[in-house]
Amino acid sequence: NFFGMVTKASRVYNEKDDSESLKITMLTKGSEKTFSEQSFIVSPLIANYADFYQIGKGDLIKYSLDGFDRLNAFDILQKFESYLDGSNGYVNEDFTVCGTVTDIDYDEISNAKLRWADVVTLTNIDGTYTYELYHNASLATQVFILNSANRNAEIGKVSDIRYGDRILVYAYNGDSYAIVIYR
C-alpha cells in the first residue's frame, strides 16, 4: 500500500470515443504521479470504482498498483472537507488519528523495532497517542503538508512537524504510514 495527497483532480475529454474521464495527480513516494480513469479501469475487481469520482484536491488516499504500475485499488482516507470539521480530533476504525502535536522527540531508539525513530505524541478529545516514525527507508513514513488557505500540498519531512501542529496520522498495528500536517 502507498499513500498520496491529491493535488489536482480534473475531467478530461477524450475525442476518440467522445467520452469524459477523471484524471488525478498526487504527491506520493517523494514525487508527483498522475493516474487517469483509463489506467484505473484495468482492474474489474475494484468494488468502490464509483468512489473514484469523489476524489478531490487535498484528499489523502491509500492505493496500490498492479504489476504494470497502474492504479488497481484505492481508498479515500480523508476528504479535504473533514480537515475543517472544527473538532479537537478523533480516532476511527481505520486507525486514522487526528490531533494536536504536544511532543516530538527526534532520534530515539525504538525498543520494539530496534532501530532509530522519531517519536510524535499528539492529543485529541479521546486521549493521547504516541507514534514511532522509523528511519529505515522501507518503513519511512510519508509526510504531507496541507495548506488550508489554498489547498496546496507538498511533501515534507518529519522535521517539519512542530509543536501545536494539527496533524492526521494513518497507522496500523503500531506502525505509522502517513502523516498530514494541516496548517
Side-chain angles (χ1 to χ4, degrees):
N1 288 328
F2 304 108
F3 296 86
M5 178 63 69
V6 178
T7 57
K8 187 189 295 184
S10 55
R11 299 265 180 194
V12 177
Y13 179 72
N14 184 349
E15 292 181 3
K16 189 174 183 178
D17 59 4
D18 193 32
S19 65
E20 198 176 47
S21 63
L22 184 68
K23 180 177 176 181
I24 64 168
T25 302
M26 62 183 169
L27 293 172
T28 181
K29 294 167 37 178
S31 64
E32 199 166 50
K33 283 189 175 279
T34 299
F35 294 100
S36 66
E37 184 180 356
Q38 286 89 351
S39 67
F40 178 75
I41 204 167
V42 295
S43 178
L45 304 174
I46 306 304
N48 61 342
Y49 176 74
D51 290 346
F52 189 69
Y53 289 100
Q54 305 304 315
I55 296 175
K57 184 176 180 180
D59 292 346
L60 176 67
I61 65 172
K62 178 173 73 168
Y63 69 96
S64 65
L65 301 173
D66 66 10
F68 299 98
D69 206 29
R70 295 175 297 201
L71 194 66
N72 74 346
F74 76 94
D75 190 16
I76 302 172
L77 294 177
Q78 185 90 357
K79 298 289 296 166
F80 178 83
E81 290 74 17
S82 59
Y83 290 99
L84 303 173
D85 64 5
S87 69
N88 292 324
Y90 58 87
V91 181
N92 72 17
E93 64 277 0
D94 293 323
F95 300 92
T96 303
V97 180
C98 191
T100 303
V101 176
T102 55
D103 195 17
I104 184 161
D105 296 314
Y106 297 105
D107 296 330
E108 300 291 313
I109 294 288
S110 164
N111 291 326
K113 302 280 184 177
L114 294 176
R115 57 176 57 104
W116 293 102
D118 298 317
V119 182
V120 176
T121 304
L122 61 92
T123 58
N124 64 31
I125 56 176
D126 295 323
T128 300
Y129 303 88
T130 300
Y131 297 96
E132 293 181 341
L133 313 176
Y134 302 107
H135 291 205
N136 181 309
S138 64
L139 294 173
T141 302
Q142 285 184 274
V143 177
F144 305 98
I145 301 172
L146 183 61
N147 184 327
S148 63
N150 57 16
R151 288 189 174 195
N152 282 344
E154 62 182 282
I155 294 202
K157 300 178 181 136
V158 173
S159 60
D160 292 321
I161 300 172
R162 300 186 298 233
Y163 291 96
D165 273 348
R166 181 168 165 79
I167 67 171
L168 176 137
V169 178
Y170 182 80
Y172 180 74
N173 222 11
D175 290 333
S176 301
Y177 294 99
I179 287 184
V180 178
I181 304 171
Y182 177 66
R183 296 190 174 130

